Amino acid sequence: MLLSIAIILISGLLLGWICKLIRFPSLFGMIIAGVIIGPHVLNLIDGSILSISSDIRRIALIIILIRAGLKLNLSDLKRVGRPAVLMCFVPACFEIIGMVLLAPRLLGVTLLDAAIMGAVVAAVSPAVIVPRMIRLIDEGRGTQKGIPQMILAGASVDDVFVIVLFTTFTGMAQGKAASVMSFVNIPISILVGAAVGIIIGIVFALIFGKLKTDVIVMVIILLSISFALNAAEDTLSGIIPFAALIAIMCVGIGIKRKSDKLAVRLSDKFNSLWKIAEIFLFVLVGASVAIDSALGAGAMSVLLLFCVLIFRMLGVFLCLLFTKLNLKEKLFCMIAYTPKATVQAAIGGLPLAMGLPCGEIVLTVSVIAILVTAPLGAFGIDLSYKRFLEKNK
């Protein structure tokens, strides 16, 4: 296992550095490193690590969501208002609609299979988007109009919404009836998660804000709370809807709301943690990619992916109508809301594991989505933000 960890870190660092040299996002190099050392190519990663790969990726996602919360001001989100709420579900709905309209024609699948495929592909990747939005906030790019804050919050809620739809559609494919309550529970889970997270964050800040506690101790406690919140989602399932990822991000928001000074201290440490977590996250995402499925994908699968991305971008544009954003800023939001990686790696293979007829094609399209949109979306954000977003005076 230790040798595998060394291989993951060194290969991720090396290929990430090479990509930076050629002005490509480092995450692309990390994903490619994972593909190369993963079970489908060189098979250099110990099976014990692969068996807990999803848990390691979840830990990395928790770290990035805490970082996001520690940077977010509630006042900024309130100022954005309506578009921030719409961005949580409208673009995903447009992408799923695009998949339902086009997939039966291009790939010959049923409408329900297309809906399952759309639910897998429609989730954006907080792991790609959030670090870049945090950088924009730090640099003061577009923050006056709340652009990075809006995208950051929307990308986190988007995943909760899409995963509920995925569960509903796969249940229908297995012969279960679609439950109205599953859709009603979406806003309830988000609100409950947000409320619980903010309360915990405020209490945390009250306890540790004035104490001279070592910041590392506070980081350990904050991580432990976040892990417990993540476990609580499964424990409370069937009792009360609870969105753990929203709660984790809102813990950071609550801390910042109560003590900006404490949020800054914690943020510095989580920035350092992310440098290690990022390598594990994207290398293991790459290792989960079934490269044979990607190589066997036809041109129609690639064409389908780009077509549904146009639907998503149209949904983003509609969310931003009647706002103060100019055309360049709207175009940036449309680009920034395209990367996919973490959710597709987590659930792309589930329909196949369930024995659904669409399993193989869903896995193939999700693999293509990771390999194409994660680097292109990251590259698009990195290339456009200085040109399209104003720097605050």
Side-chain angles (χ1 to χ4, degrees):
M1 180 185 285
L2 292 179
L3 179 59
S4 295
I5 291 173
I7 292 171
I8 289 170
L9 292 172
I10 296 300
S11 62
L13 275 175
L14 179 61
L15 289 183
W17 173 73
I18 290 172
C19 282
K20 273 189 174 181
L21 286 182
I22 60 175
R23 297 181 179 273
F24 233 67
S26 59
L27 70 86
F28 181 68
M30 296 174 191
I31 291 175
I32 295 301
V35 171
I36 294 170
I37 67 174
H40 301 285
V41 184
L42 296 181
N43 195 24
L44 299 178
I45 303 178
D46 192 276
S48 57
I49 291 181
L50 292 174
S51 66
I52 59 169
S53 173
S54 60
D55 294 318
I56 296 173
R57 296 200 304 267
R58 179 54 69 101
I59 291 171
L61 191 58
I62 286 171
I63 290 171
I64 192 58
L65 288 175
I66 295 173
R67 280 185 72 207
L70 293 169
K71 294 286 184 180
L72 267 178
N73 270 320
L74 282 178
S75 56
D76 292 334
L77 287 177
K78 288 178 183 176
R79 190 170 69 247
V80 176
R82 175 186 59 85
V85 176
L86 294 178
M87 291 279 278
C88 296
F89 64 91
V90 171
C93 286
F94 267 70
E95 191 165 2
I96 293 171
I97 289 169
M99 189 69 80
V100 169
L101 290 174
L102 298 175
R105 291 173 172 80
L106 294 177
L107 301 180
V109 298
T110 66
L111 289 176
L112 182 54
D113 290 345
I116 294 170
M117 194 184 307
V120 172
V121 173
V124 293
S125 175
V128 179
I129 294 173
V130 171
R132 283 163 173 77
M133 295 307 109
I134 290 174
R135 185 175 67 199
L136 265 60
I137 292 171
D138 290 339
E139 294 183 13
R141 292 274 181 183
T143 52
Q144 202 158 1
K145 294 183 180 180
I147 294 171
Q149 297 95 320
M150 173 182 66
I151 295 172
L152 194 155
S156 303
V157 178
D158 172 279
D159 285 3
V160 176
F161 174 68
V162 169
I163 288 171
V164 171
L165 292 182
F166 172 77
T167 304
T168 302
F169 294 149
T170 51
M172 291 170 64
Q174 291 176 315
K176 300 175 185 175
S179 170
V180 175
M181 281 306 298
S182 64
F183 293 97
V184 173
N185 285 341
I186 295 173
I188 296 175
S189 67
I190 292 169
L191 291 173
V192 170
V196 170
I198 289 174
I199 291 170
I200 291 174
I202 291 173
V203 171
F204 184 94
L206 285 172
I207 294 172
F208 293 100
K210 296 181 180 180
L211 295 177
K212 292 183 178 179
T213 309
D214 190 334
V215 70
I216 295 296
V217 173
M218 289 189 281
V219 167
I220 293 171
I221 294 171
L222 191 51
L223 280 173
S224 301
I225 291 170
S226 300
F227 296 159
L229 287 172
N230 185 70
E233 183 171 8
D234 295 328
T235 304
L236 296 175
S237 178
I239 302 173
I240 182 171
F242 179 70
L245 295 181
I246 303 300
I248 290 165
M249 186 173 71
C250 286
V251 170
I253 294 174
I255 292 171
K256 185 171 180 62
R257 181 177 177 84
K258 194 64 183 177
S259 174
D260 194 63
K261 185 178 178 181
L262 178 60
V264 170
R265 290 177 65 199
L266 289 168
S267 185
D268 288 341
K269 297 302 178 185
F270 276 99
N271 289 344
S272 301
L273 273 178
W274 171 243
K275 291 178 181 177
I276 300 174
E278 179 185 30
I279 299 171
F280 275 102
L281 174 61
F282 290 114
V283 171
L284 290 175
V285 164
S288 69
V289 167
I291 195 65
D292 52 340
S293 295
L295 293 175
M300 287 300 179
S301 299
V302 179
L303 175 62
L304 175 65
L305 177 64
F306 281 106
C307 287
V308 297
L309 282 178
I310 293 172
F311 274 81
R312 167 172 279 276
M313 295 172 82
L314 177 61
V316 173
F317 182 79
L318 291 177
C319 292
L320 302 177
L321 287 177
F322 311 112
T323 64
K324 295 180 180 179
L325 273 62
N326 60 41
L327 186 58
K328 285 185 177 181
E329 291 164 339
K330 289 175 182 176
L331 182 57
F332 172 81
C333 293
M334 292 160 69
I335 294 169
Y337 229 50
T338 57
K340 301 156 191 303
T342 39
V343 174
Q344 287 71 30
I347 68 174
L350 290 184
L352 185 62
M354 294 174 182
L356 299 181
C358 63
E360 186 66 39
I361 189 64
V362 170
L363 177 60
T364 299
V365 174
S366 64
V367 166
I368 296 171
I370 294 170
L371 293 177
V372 173
T373 65
L376 280 184
F379 186 71
I381 295 171
D382 296 345
L383 191 66
S384 63
Y385 81 94
K386 288 185 179 178
R387 300 179 184 183
F388 292 173
L389 302 183
E390 293 182 3
K391 188 175 176 65
N392 293 346
K393 296 179 181 178

